[in-house]
């Protein structure tokens, strides 16, 4: 898997970034990198390899290198399942996201929404506010 140098320049975890994911104004790659970073994947530019030592075992064992959450269904299903039940509706509750209109979305948009919801859940668990700048 190729790696961009953007890993150090990820957008902050806040409402604007989450809306950019949902509205497709940031790249699939950036969406992936945000989730990878939160999961603990780190790219070592010295060795040009991924370091998964900070990744939870249930992710690291199945995905020693970070998976493509936008392009592949299987890792997105795992991501969905890892969102606590009480956090499943955060896009609607916290962002007011009503979902995509019928006919305007496909698997890619659904996976982006899953990534945004997972990031919101991650933020809630760590008490990162939607206005938070990093």
């Amino acid at each position: 898997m190729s790696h961009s140098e953007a890993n150090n320049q990820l957008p902050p975890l806040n409402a604007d970034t989450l809306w950019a994911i949902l509205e497709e104004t940031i790249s699939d790659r950036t969406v992936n990198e945000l989730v990878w970073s939160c999961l603990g994947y780190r790219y070592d530019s010295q060795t040009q390899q991924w370091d998964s030592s900070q990744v939870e075992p249930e992710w690291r064992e199945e995905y020693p290198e970070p998976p493509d959450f936008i392009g592949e269904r299987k890792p997105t299903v795992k991501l969905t399942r890892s969102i606590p039940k009480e956090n499943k509706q955060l896009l609607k509750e916290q962002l007011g996201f009503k979902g995509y209109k019928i006919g305007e979305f496909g698997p890619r948009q659904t996976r982006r929404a899953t990534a945004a919801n997972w990031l919101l859940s991650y933020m809630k668990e760590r008490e990162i506010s939607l206005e938070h700048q990093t």
Side-chain angles (χ1 to χ4, degrees), residues 41 52-65:
Y41 291 99
S52 61
S53 60
Q54 297 175 53
V55 178
E56 296 288 329
E58 68 267 16
W59 280 98
R60 187 172 58 234
E61 288 163 17
E62 197 169 346
Y63 299 104
E65 290 201 347

Side-chain angles (χ1 to χ4, degrees), residues 94-127:
Q94 290 192 359
L95 284 185
F97 180 65
K98 294 177 174 61
Y100 296 105
K101 291 186 179 72
I102 299 298
E104 287 185 3
F105 69 97
R108 196 171 147 271
Q109 287 77 17
T110 303
R111 291 173 190 149
R112 287 177 75 98
T114 297
N117 197 52
W118 185 88
L119 288 166
L120 253 180
S121 177
Y122 173 91
M123 291 166 68
K124 183 178 179 192
E125 302 286 306
R126 285 155 189 81
E127 299 181 355

Side-chain angles (χ1 to χ4, degrees), residues 2-134:
S2 67
H3 173 77
S4 72
E5 292 305 311
N7 208 24
N8 303 326
Q9 303 159 2
L10 289 175
L13 281 179
N14 62 25
D16 289 344
T17 298
L18 294 169
W19 276 112
I21 293 170
L22 296 169
E23 294 170 346
E24 302 186 67
T25 57
I26 59 175
S27 71
D28 291 353
R29 177 69 191 198
T30 301
V31 176
N32 270 322
E33 288 185 357
L34 281 164
V35 177
W36 298 340
S37 177
C38 292
L39 283 171
Y41 291 99
R42 298 294 177 264
Y43 188 76
D44 185 337
S45 54
Q46 300 283 323
T47 63
Q48 297 193 345
Q49 292 184 329
W50 285 96
D51 173 6
S52 61
S53 60
Q54 297 175 53
V55 178
E56 296 288 329
E58 68 267 16
W59 280 98
R60 187 172 58 234
E61 288 163 17
E62 197 169 346
Y63 299 104
E65 290 201 347
D68 179 357
F69 290 109
I70 309 302
E72 299 171 32
R73 181 179 176 273
K74 191 175 168 219
T76 307
V77 170
K78 186 177 180 75
L79 202 63
T80 301
R81 290 184 179 145
S82 73
I83 299 170
K85 189 171 186 229
E86 66 274 14
N87 291 354
K88 297 273 188 200
Q89 297 298 317
L90 289 180
L91 286 180
K92 188 164 67 179
E93 293 168 3
Q94 290 192 359
L95 284 185
F97 180 65
K98 294 177 174 61
Y100 296 105
K101 291 186 179 72
I102 299 298
E104 287 185 3
F105 69 97
R108 196 171 147 271
Q109 287 77 17
T110 303
R111 291 173 190 149
R112 287 177 75 98
T114 297
N117 197 52
W118 185 88
L119 288 166
L120 253 180
S121 177
Y122 173 91
M123 291 166 68
K124 183 178 179 192
E125 302 286 306
R126 285 155 189 81
E127 299 181 355
I128 300 169
S129 83
L130 283 172
E131 290 76 42
H132 183 74
Q133 300 292 321
T134 54

